[in-house]
Amino acid sequence: MKIVMVGAGNVATHIALRLAERGTAPVQIWSRHLESAEELAARVRCLATADMRCLDTTADIYVVSVADVAMMDVIEKLCHHCHDGVFIHTAGTMPMDMFKGHCAHYGVVYPMQTFTKKKDLDFDSVSCFVEASDAATFSTIETFARLLTSHVQQLSGNDRRWLHLAAVFACNFTNACYAQAARMLESHGVDFRVLLPLIDETTRKIHSLAPKEAQTGPAARHDYNVMEKHMEMLEDTPDLHSMYKLMSEIIMNDC
């Protein structure tokens, strides 16, 4: 496959590196910022550009992996210049039909994972959820997705949106809680890393237990005495106080 990456951010970087690892490196990287395109292109040994007019118009696949807010503008400009091939975006919440009316063959490959440029990733463990405009295009998109991982599933756009929302709760919100915990500990001279065994064990448990069954802590025990003391400690931080109260109520209602 002749593949052009449209974007050079976290997701695009890991997809391009994985394609190169599998012997199908992109032929070109586009980014609004030429420096970003050149940096990624150097890693996978291909061409870089910040000019849509310079994109290869003979590619089999164009992978659009940019911020959601910029996607429609990028798609319109991309499809105006490149008319043939299969067009794919990688977003969790954006509809496949963003391409409709701009190109003939299109779809989605949503790799559900947290991506950071500077952190290596085992793509073998990543699941990709795919959708396509028609059966022939689906075959091409599925083949592309299997270059990334063997864990490929077809999923409708509506179900993909709910999957993305669930991922935000499971990953982004959880990590935000880690950040708050780190600030609490650092303000008292305690290294955040003392929590890592606790975090790791919590993660290991949900491989064999349902999250509801794995829940522990004062709210799960309905230990109002401890919860009241915790909320007293948070009186000077109203947002965290409200968050603690709400999360405790959710846990108590669920357990």
Side-chain angles (χ1 to χ4, degrees):
M1 289 185 177
K2 192 175 183 182
I3 301 167
V4 169
M5 292 297 309
V6 182
N10 291 325
V11 178
T13 294
H14 280 282
I15 289 177
L17 291 174
R18 178 60 165 175
L19 290 171
E21 179 186 322
R22 299 297 298 271
T24 314
V27 297
Q28 196 175 32
I29 307 288
W30 173 91
S31 174
R32 290 182 188 275
H33 307 288
L34 182 59
E35 184 179 350
S36 297
E38 289 177 335
E39 180 183 347
L40 179 54
R43 298 179 70 181
V44 298
R45 299 182 179 181
C46 73
L47 299 174
T49 185
D51 188 345
M52 282 279 184
R53 295 170 298 178
C54 294
L55 281 178
D56 189 326
T57 60
T58 65
D60 300 303
I61 292 179
Y62 297 88
V63 183
V64 180
S65 192
V66 298
D68 290 0
V69 67
M71 189 173 293
M72 194 67 254
D73 180 60
V74 168
I75 286 173
E76 288 176 351
K77 291 176 180 176
L78 169 66
C79 295
H80 177 74
H81 181 68
C82 303
H83 309 292
D84 299 320
V86 172
F87 296 79
I88 297 169
H89 79 62
T90 63
T93 58
M94 306 303 282
M96 175 179 66
D97 284 349
M98 292 186 75
F99 291 106
K100 193 171 184 178
H102 299 286
C103 59
H105 307 289
Y106 53 88
V108 176
V109 174
Y110 170 49
M112 192 189 64
Q113 185 52 278
T114 173
F115 295 95
T116 303
K117 282 186 181 183
K118 296 180 180 179
K119 176 69 171 60
D120 291 339
L121 175 71
D122 176 15
F123 228 116
D124 287 331
S125 64
V126 176
S127 291
C128 279
F129 297 87
V130 300
E131 185 182 15
S133 56
D134 56 82
T137 302
F138 179 84
S139 178
T140 301
I141 289 177
E142 183 180 34
T143 299
F144 168 81
R146 291 194 181 279
L147 287 172
L148 304 177
T149 177
S150 61
H151 306 291
V152 178
Q153 299 180 46
Q154 186 173 10
L155 195 68
S156 71
N158 184 58
D159 290 338
R160 172 166 44 84
R161 289 191 306 122
W162 281 101
L163 176 61
H164 187 267
L165 177 57
V168 168
F169 273 84
C171 175
N172 306 141
F173 289 173
T174 301
N175 193 68
C177 288
Y178 295 157
Q180 293 300 327
R183 291 190 186 97
M184 289 178 195
L185 293 180
E186 288 164 5
S187 68
H188 293 278
V190 181
D191 192 325
F192 172 74
R193 287 175 293 184
V194 301
L195 291 180
L196 293 181
L198 174 66
I199 293 169
D200 291 343
E201 177 58 19
T202 302
T203 303
R204 279 192 295 268
K205 280 200 297 185
I206 59 172
H207 281 267
S208 56
L209 295 173
K212 182 176 179 178
E213 295 173 339
Q215 188 70 60
T216 61
R221 299 191 301 270
H222 291 234
D223 192 335
Y224 295 101
N225 183 51
V226 171
M227 288 188 288
E228 286 174 4
K229 290 178 180 177
H230 283 171
M231 284 192 284
E232 286 175 8
M233 294 166 67
L234 295 171
E235 284 181 349
D236 293 334
T237 51
D239 289 345
L240 292 183
H241 184 278
S242 298
M243 176 183 171
Y244 184 98
K245 182 178 180 182
L246 177 60
M247 291 303 298
S248 296
E249 289 172 353
I250 288 172
I251 292 170
M252 286 189 292
N253 290 334
D254 198 42
C255 296

